[in-house]
Amino acid sequence: QVQLVESGGGSVQAGGSLRLSCVTSGSIGQHFVMGWYRQAPGRERELVAVISDRNDTNYAEFVKGRFTIVSVNAKNAKNTVYLQMNRLKPEDTAVYYCMFRPWGTSDRHWGQGTQVTVSS
């Protein structure tokens, strides 16, 4: 079983920064993909950024150059993924969800979500 615990959401003015954290523990194995999706009211959940255990990354076009995803592997079977969000825009307002997926599967695990609100 995989557990994901998110933190770091909040409110900020446009142009500001926030950092999201997600700690994953449990049966995560050695090869996986982790990252962040977001969902704004009335819209579908969309990919923001993901990173593999090999540190291969994939960013949505709308965050390239502004957001950075980093993965830190701990020896105690925990892995932490950070999403540094800079130059935030009002359209970045959404609930951000951490995602974990074992490599080679479609089995996604989700965190509880954290609200990010950017005011103009």
Side-chain angles (χ1 to χ4, degrees), residues 4 6 20 22 33-40 43-51 58-60 62-63 67 69 81-83 85 92-101 105-116:
L4 298 93
E6 304 159 343
L20 305 182
C22 176
V33 176
M34 285 188 65
W36 295 90
Y37 285 66
R38 71 186 188 187
Q39 187 167 19
R43 301 190 64 173
E44 293 187 354
R45 191 172 297 187
E46 59 184 358
L47 181 146
V48 176
V50 292
I51 186 167
N58 184 30
Y59 292 92
F62 52 77
V63 302
F67 292 9
I69 189 168
V81 171
Y82 300 96
L83 184 69
M85 305 185 293
D92 294 318
T93 295
V95 177
Y96 284 68
Y97 294 92
C98 182
M99 184 281 299
F100 171 89
R101 176 173 62 80
T105 77
S106 59
D107 185 19
R108 293 177 178 172
H109 302 262
W110 298 97
Q112 77 278 9
T114 185
Q115 177 70 46
V116 171

Coordinates of all heavy atoms in Angstrom, one line a residue, residues 4 6 20 22 33-40 43-51 58-60 62-63 67 69 81-83 85 92-101 105-116:
L4 N 0.5 8.9 0.5 CA 1.0 10.1 0.0 C 0.5 11.3 0.9 O -0.7 11.3 1.2 CB 0.6 10.4 -1.4 CG 1.0 9.5 -2.5 CD1 0.0 8.4 -2.7 CD2 1.3 10.2 -3.8
E6 N 0.7 15.4 1.4 CA 1.0 16.6 0.7 C 1.1 17.8 1.7 O 0.4 17.8 2.7 CB 0.0 17.0 -0.4 CG -0.2 15.9 -1.4 CD -1.5 16.0 -2.1 OE1 -2.4 16.7 -1.6 OE2 -1.6 15.4 -3.2
L20 N 5.4 23.1 -3.0 CA 4.6 22.0 -2.6 C 5.5 20.8 -2.3 O 6.5 20.6 -2.9 CB 3.6 21.6 -3.6 CG 2.7 22.7 -4.2 CD1 1.7 22.1 -5.2 CD2 1.9 23.3 -3.0
C22 N 5.5 16.5 -1.2 CA 4.7 15.2 -1.2 C 5.6 14.1 -0.7 O 6.6 13.8 -1.4 CB 4.1 14.9 -2.5 SG 3.2 13.3 -2.6
V33 N 7.0 6.6 -11.1 CA 6.8 8.0 -11.5 C 6.0 8.7 -10.5 O 5.0 8.2 -10.0 CB 6.1 8.1 -12.9 CG1 5.8 9.6 -13.3 CG2 6.9 7.4 -14.0
M34 N 6.5 9.9 -10.1 CA 5.7 10.8 -9.2 C 5.6 12.2 -9.7 O 6.4 12.6 -10.6 CB 6.5 10.9 -7.8 CG 6.4 9.7 -7.0 SD 7.1 10.0 -5.3 CE 6.0 11.2 -4.7
G35 N 4.6 12.9 -9.2 CA 4.5 14.2 -9.7 C 3.2 14.9 -9.3 O 2.6 14.5 -8.3
W36 N 2.9 16.0 -10.0 CA 1.7 16.8 -9.6 C 0.8 17.0 -10.7 O 1.2 17.2 -11.9 CB 2.3 18.2 -9.1 CG 3.1 18.1 -7.9 CD1 4.5 17.9 -7.8 CD2 2.6 18.1 -6.5 NE1 4.8 17.8 -6.5 CE2 3.8 17.9 -5.7 CE3 1.4 18.3 -6.0 CZ2 3.7 17.9 -4.3 CZ3 1.3 18.3 -4.6 CH2 2.4 18.1 -3.8
Y37 N -0.5 16.9 -10.4 CA -1.6 17.3 -11.3 C -2.3 18.4 -10.6 O -2.2 18.6 -9.4 CB -2.5 16.1 -11.6 CG -1.9 15.1 -12.5 CD1 -0.8 14.3 -12.2 CD2 -2.5 14.8 -13.7 CE1 -0.3 13.3 -13.0 CE2 -2.0 13.9 -14.6 CZ -0.9 13.1 -14.2 OH -0.4 12.2 -15.1
R38 N -3.2 19.1 -11.4 CA -4.0 20.1 -10.7 C -5.4 20.1 -11.4 O -5.6 19.6 -12.5 CB -3.4 21.5 -10.9 CG -3.4 22.1 -12.3 CD -2.6 23.4 -12.3 NE -2.8 24.1 -13.6 CZ -2.1 25.2 -13.9 NH1 -1.2 25.7 -13.1 NH2 -2.3 25.7 -15.1
Q39 N -6.4 20.6 -10.6 CA -7.7 20.7 -11.1 C -8.4 22.0 -10.6 O -8.5 22.2 -9.4 CB -8.6 19.5 -10.6 CG -9.9 19.4 -11.2 CD -10.6 18.0 -10.9 OE1 -10.2 17.3 -10.0 NE2 -11.6 17.7 -11.7
A40 N -8.7 22.8 -11.6 CA -9.4 24.0 -11.3 C -10.9 23.8 -11.3 O -11.4 22.8 -12.0 CB -9.0 25.1 -12.3
R43 N -13.0 22.3 -14.4 CA -12.1 21.8 -15.4 C -11.6 20.4 -15.0 O -11.7 20.0 -13.9 CB -10.9 22.8 -15.5 CG -11.2 24.2 -15.9 CD -10.0 25.0 -16.2 NE -9.3 24.5 -17.4 CZ -8.3 25.1 -18.0 NH1 -7.9 26.3 -17.5 NH2 -7.7 24.6 -19.0
E44 N -11.1 19.7 -16.0 CA -10.5 18.4 -15.8 C -9.2 18.5 -15.1 O -8.5 19.5 -15.2 CB -10.4 17.6 -17.1 CG -11.8 17.3 -17.7 CD -11.6 16.4 -18.9 OE1 -10.5 16.1 -19.3 OE2 -12.6 16.0 -19.5
R45 N -8.8 17.4 -14.4 CA -7.5 17.3 -13.8 C -6.5 17.2 -14.9 O -6.6 16.5 -15.9 CB -7.4 16.1 -12.9 CG -6.2 16.0 -12.0 CD -6.3 14.9 -11.0 NE -7.4 15.1 -10.1 CZ -7.6 14.3 -9.0 NH1 -6.8 13.3 -8.7 NH2 -8.7 14.5 -8.3
E46 N -5.4 18.0 -14.7 CA -4.4 18.1 -15.8 C -3.0 17.9 -15.2 O -2.7 18.3 -14.0 CB -4.4 19.4 -16.5 CG -4.2 20.6 -15.7 CD -4.4 21.9 -16.5 OE1 -4.6 21.9 -17.7 OE2 -4.3 23.0 -15.8
L47 N -2.1 17.4 -16.0 CA -0.7 17.2 -15.6 C 0.0 18.5 -15.4 O -0.1 19.4 -16.3 CB 0.1 16.3 -16.6 CG 1.5 16.0 -16.3 CD1 1.8 14.6 -16.8 CD2 2.5 17.0 -16.9
V48 N 0.8 18.7 -14.4 CA 1.6 19.8 -14.1 C 3.1 19.5 -14.4 O 3.8 20.1 -15.2 CB 1.5 20.4 -12.7 CG1 2.4 21.6 -12.5 CG2 0.0 20.8 -12.5
A49 N 3.6 18.5 -13.7 CA 5.0 18.0 -13.8 C 5.1 16.7 -13.2 O 4.5 16.4 -12.1 CB 6.0 19.0 -13.2
V50 N 5.9 15.8 -13.8 CA 6.2 14.5 -13.2 C 7.7 14.2 -13.3 O 8.4 14.8 -14.1 CB 5.4 13.4 -13.9 CG1 3.9 13.5 -13.6 CG2 5.7 13.3 -15.4
I51 N 8.2 13.3 -12.5 CA 9.6 12.9 -12.4 C 9.7 11.4 -12.1 O 8.9 10.9 -11.3 CB 10.3 13.8 -11.4 CG1 11.8 13.5 -11.4 CG2 9.8 13.5 -10.0 CD1 12.7 14.5 -10.6
N58 N 9.0 15.7 -16.9 CA 8.1 16.1 -18.0 C 7.2 17.2 -17.4 O 6.6 17.0 -16.4 CB 7.2 14.9 -18.4 CG 6.3 15.3 -19.6 OD1 6.6 16.1 -20.4 ND2 5.1 14.7 -19.7
Y59 N 7.2 18.3 -18.1 CA 6.4 19.5 -17.6 C 5.3 19.9 -18.6 O 5.5 19.7 -19.8 CB 7.4 20.7 -17.5 CG 8.4 20.6 -16.4 CD1 9.7 20.1 -16.6 CD2 8.1 21.1 -15.1 CE1 10.6 20.1 -15.6 CE2 9.0 21.1 -14.1 CZ 10.3 20.5 -14.4 OH 11.2 20.5 -13.4
A60 N 4.2 20.3 -18.1 CA 3.2 20.9 -19.0 C 3.8 22.2 -19.6 O 4.6 22.9 -18.9 CB 2.0 21.2 -18.2
F62 N 2.5 25.0 -20.0 CA 2.1 26.3 -19.3 C 2.9 26.5 -18.0 O 2.8 27.6 -17.4 CB 0.6 26.3 -19.0 CG 0.1 25.1 -18.3 CD1 0.3 25.0 -16.9 CD2 -0.6 24.1 -18.9 CE1 -0.2 23.8 -16.2 CE2 -1.1 23.0 -18.3 CZ -0.9 22.9 -16.9
V63 N 3.8 25.6 -17.6 CA 4.6 25.8 -16.4 C 6.1 25.8 -16.7 O 6.9 26.1 -15.8 CB 4.3 24.8 -15.3 CG1 2.9 24.9 -14.9 CG2 4.8 23.4 -15.7
F67 N 8.0 26.5 -13.0 CA 8.0 25.5 -12.0 C 9.1 24.5 -12.2 O 9.6 24.2 -13.3 CB 6.7 24.7 -12.2 CG 5.4 25.4 -11.8 CD1 5.4 26.8 -11.6 CD2 4.2 24.7 -11.8 CE1 4.2 27.5 -11.4 CE2 3.0 25.4 -11.5 CZ 3.0 26.8 -11.3
I69 N 10.4 20.6 -10.6 CA 10.1 19.4 -9.8 C 11.4 18.7 -9.5 O 12.3 18.6 -10.3 CB 9.1 18.5 -10.6 CG1 8.7 17.3 -9.6 CG2 9.8 17.9 -11.8 CD1 7.5 16.5 -10.2
V81 N 8.8 14.4 -3.2 CA 8.8 15.2 -4.4 C 8.4 16.6 -4.1 O 7.4 16.8 -3.4 CB 7.8 14.6 -5.5 CG1 7.7 15.6 -6.6 CG2 8.3 13.3 -6.0
Y82 N 9.2 17.6 -4.5 CA 8.9 19.0 -4.3 C 8.5 19.6 -5.7 O 9.1 19.3 -6.7 CB 10.2 19.7 -3.8 CG 10.6 19.1 -2.5 CD1 11.7 18.2 -2.4 CD2 10.1 19.6 -1.3 CE1 12.1 17.7 -1.2 CE2 10.5 19.1 -0.1 CZ 11.5 18.2 0.0 OH 12.0 17.7 1.2
L83 N 7.6 20.5 -5.6 CA 7.3 21.4 -6.8 C 7.5 22.8 -6.4 O 6.7 23.4 -5.6 CB 5.8 21.1 -7.2 CG 5.5 21.9 -8.5 CD1 6.2 21.3 -9.7 CD2 4.0 21.8 -8.7
M85 N 7.2 26.5 -7.3 CA 6.4 27.2 -8.2 C 6.8 28.7 -8.1 O 6.5 29.3 -7.0 CB 4.9 27.0 -7.9 CG 4.5 25.6 -7.9 SD 2.7 25.3 -7.7 CE 2.5 25.9 -6.1
D92 N -3.0 29.8 -12.3 CA -2.5 28.7 -11.6 C -3.3 28.2 -10.4 O -3.0 27.2 -9.8 CB -1.0 29.0 -11.1 CG -0.1 29.2 -12.3 OD1 -0.1 28.4 -13.3 OD2 0.8 30.1 -12.2
T93 N -4.3 29.0 -10.1 CA -5.2 28.7 -9.0 C -5.9 27.3 -9.3 O -6.6 27.2 -10.3 CB -6.2 29.8 -8.8 OG1 -5.6 31.0 -8.4 CG2 -7.3 29.4 -7.7
A94 N -5.8 26.4 -8.3 CA -6.4 25.1 -8.5 C -6.1 24.3 -7.2 O -5.3 24.7 -6.3 CB -5.8 24.4 -9.7
V95 N -6.7 23.1 -7.2 CA -6.2 22.1 -6.2 C -5.1 21.3 -6.8 O -5.3 20.7 -7.9 CB -7.4 21.2 -5.7 CG1 -6.9 20.1 -4.7 CG2 -8.5 22.1 -5.1
Y96 N -4.0 21.1 -6.2 CA -2.9 20.4 -6.7 C -2.8 19.0 -6.0 O -2.9 18.9 -4.7 CB -1.6 21.2 -6.4 CG -1.4 22.3 -7.4 CD1 -2.3 23.4 -7.3 CD2 -0.5 22.3 -8.4 CE1 -2.1 24.5 -8.2 CE2 -0.3 23.3 -9.3 CZ -1.2 24.4 -9.2 OH -1.1 25.5 -10.1
Y97 N -2.7 18.0 -6.8 CA -2.7 16.6 -6.3 C -1.4 16.0 -6.6 O -0.9 16.0 -7.7 CB -3.8 15.8 -7.0 CG -5.2 16.2 -6.6 CD1 -5.9 17.2 -7.4 CD2 -5.9 15.7 -5.5 CE1 -7.2 17.6 -7.1 CE2 -7.2 16.1 -5.2 CZ -7.8 17.1 -6.0 OH -9.1 17.5 -5.7
C98 N -0.8 15.3 -5.6 CA 0.4 14.5 -5.8 C -0.1 13.2 -6.3 O -1.1 12.6 -5.9 CB 1.1 14.3 -4.4 SG 2.6 13.4 -4.5
M99 N 0.8 12.6 -7.2 CA 0.5 11.3 -7.8 C 1.7 10.4 -7.8 O 2.8 10.9 -8.0 CB 0.1 11.6 -9.3 CG -0.4 10.4 -10.1 SD 1.0 9.3 -10.7 CE 1.9 10.4 -11.8
F100 N 1.4 9.2 -7.5 CA 2.5 8.1 -7.5 C 2.0 7.0 -8.5 O 0.8 6.6 -8.4 CB 2.7 7.6 -6.1 CG 3.6 6.4 -6.1 CD1 5.0 6.6 -6.1 CD2 3.1 5.1 -6.2 CE1 5.9 5.5 -6.1 CE2 4.0 4.0 -6.3 CZ 5.4 4.2 -6.2
R101 N 2.9 6.5 -9.3 CA 2.5 5.4 -10.2 C 3.7 4.5 -10.4 O 4.8 4.9 -10.7 CB 2.1 6.0 -11.6 CG 1.8 4.9 -12.6 CD 1.3 5.5 -13.9 NE 2.2 6.4 -14.6 CZ 3.2 6.1 -15.4 NH1 3.5 4.8 -15.6 NH2 3.9 7.0 -16.0
T105 N 3.1 0.6 -15.1 CA 1.7 0.4 -14.8 C 0.8 1.6 -15.0 O 1.4 2.7 -15.2 CB 1.5 -0.1 -13.3 OG1 1.6 1.0 -12.5 CG2 2.5 -1.1 -13.0
S106 N -0.5 1.5 -15.0 CA -1.4 2.6 -15.0 C -2.0 2.8 -13.7 O -3.1 3.5 -13.5 CB -2.4 2.4 -16.1 OG -3.2 1.2 -15.8
D107 N -1.5 2.2 -12.6 CA -2.1 2.2 -11.3 C -1.6 3.5 -10.6 O -0.6 3.6 -9.9 CB -1.6 1.0 -10.5 CG -2.2 0.9 -9.1 OD1 -3.3 1.5 -8.9 OD2 -1.7 0.2 -8.3
R108 N -2.4 4.6 -10.6 CA -2.1 5.8 -10.0 C -2.7 5.9 -8.6 O -3.8 5.5 -8.3 CB -2.7 7.0 -10.8 CG -2.1 7.2 -12.2 CD -2.8 8.3 -12.9 NE -2.2 8.5 -14.2 CZ -2.7 9.4 -15.2 NH1 -3.8 10.0 -14.9 NH2 -2.0 9.5 -16.3
H109 N -1.8 6.4 -7.7 CA -2.2 6.7 -6.3 C -2.2 8.2 -6.2 O -1.3 8.9 -6.7 CB -1.3 6.1 -5.3 CG -1.2 4.6 -5.5 ND1 -1.9 3.7 -4.7 CD2 -0.5 3.8 -6.4 CE1 -1.6 2.5 -5.1 NE2 -0.7 2.5 -6.1
W110 N -3.2 8.7 -5.4 CA -3.4 10.2 -5.3 C -3.3 10.6 -3.9 O -3.8 9.9 -3.0 CB -4.7 10.6 -5.9 CG -4.9 10.3 -7.3 CD1 -5.5 9.3 -7.9 CD2 -4.4 11.1 -8.4 NE1 -5.4 9.3 -9.3 CE2 -4.7 10.5 -9.6 CE3 -3.7 12.3 -8.5 CZ2 -4.4 11.0 -10.9 CZ3 -3.3 12.8 -9.8 CH2 -3.7 12.1 -10.9
G111 N -2.8 11.8 -3.7 CA -2.8 12.5 -2.4 C -4.2 13.2 -2.2 O -5.0 13.1 -3.1
Q112 N -4.3 13.8 -1.1 CA -5.6 14.4 -0.7 C -5.9 15.7 -1.4 O -7.0 16.2 -1.4 CB -5.8 14.6 0.8 CG -5.0 15.8 1.4 CD -3.5 15.5 1.6 OE1 -3.0 14.5 1.2 NE2 -2.8 16.4 2.3
G113 N -4.8 16.3 -2.0 CA -5.0 17.6 -2.6 C -4.7 18.8 -1.7 O -4.9 18.7 -0.5
T114 N -4.1 19.8 -2.3 CA -3.8 21.0 -1.5 C -4.1 22.2 -2.4 O -3.8 22.2 -3.6 CB -2.3 21.0 -1.1 OG1 -2.0 22.2 -0.3 CG2 -1.3 21.0 -2.3
Q115 N -4.8 23.2 -1.8 CA -5.3 24.3 -2.5 C -4.2 25.4 -2.7 O -3.4 25.7 -1.8 CB -6.4 25.0 -1.8 CG -7.0 26.2 -2.4 CD -7.7 26.0 -3.7 OE1 -8.6 25.0 -3.8 NE2 -7.5 26.8 -4.8
V116 N -4.1 25.8 -4.0 CA -3.2 26.9 -4.3 C -4.0 28.0 -4.9 O -4.8 27.8 -5.9 CB -2.1 26.5 -5.3 CG1 -1.3 27.7 -5.8 CG2 -1.1 25.5 -4.7

